[in-house]
Amino acid sequence: QVQLVESGGGLVQSGGSLRLSCTASGIIYGINAMHWYRQAPGKERELVADITRGGSTEYADSVKGRFTISKDSAKNTWYLQMNSLQPEDTAVYYCKAPMVATNRGVVHNVWGQGTEVTVSS
């Protein structure tokens, strides 16, 4: 069974940085892309950044220039480097793999459990 586990969240002051990690476990043959979402209290979940298997990246306008998504394929781990954090970045951050090829076939929309980021002013 494939699982995604996020880590790296916490409390940081405005202007600070955090690096989130998302590690995939299980018998995985391939993951086509990874998305990072966030959900702030009382708001809908929004897509923050994504990276394809080939390394192409896209970002939400609200984080462009401040956040960087990357991956370490050897470790089956994806990262979200967040710089110049602002209170409006406070949210639970989730990673999601749209499609994972496993020994039991293709699994769609695998989500992690989320990691909380709080930015104080």
Side-chain angles (χ1 to χ4, degrees):
Q1 182 177 356
V2 62
Q3 285 188 319
L4 299 179
V5 178
E6 299 101 334
S7 62
L11 174 64
V12 64
Q13 288 188 334
S14 181
S17 298
L18 284 174
R19 189 178 79 158
L20 306 183
S21 299
C22 171
T23 299
S25 63
I27 301 177
I28 297 170
Y29 296 155
I31 296 179
N32 66 327
M34 189 63 70
H35 300 174
W36 281 99
Y37 285 79
R38 68 184 179 187
Q39 187 165 19
K43 294 188 177 181
E44 293 188 355
R45 195 170 294 189
E46 63 170 342
L47 179 62
V48 173
D50 61 71
I51 186 167
T52 67
R53 190 169 187 170
S56 298
T57 59
E58 289 189 347
Y59 299 92
D61 288 342
S62 58
V63 306
K64 215 171 277 185
R66 300 188 299 123
F67 290 12
T68 303
I69 188 171
S70 62
K71 62 176 182 172
D72 184 335
S73 298
K75 295 182 179 179
N76 262 351
T77 298
W78 288 257
Y79 304 99
L80 187 66
Q81 177 68 44
M82 307 186 297
N83 299 329
S84 302
L85 284 163
Q86 301 301 316
E88 53 266 33
D89 295 316
T90 295
V92 179
Y93 284 72
Y94 301 87
C95 58
K96 186 194 87 170
M99 188 171 68
V100 181
T102 75
N103 61 320
R104 294 187 176 186
V106 174
V107 182
H108 295 278
N109 296 326
V110 180
W111 288 88
Q113 84 289 350
T115 185
E116 191 165 1
V117 171
T118 303
V119 185
S120 63
S121 56

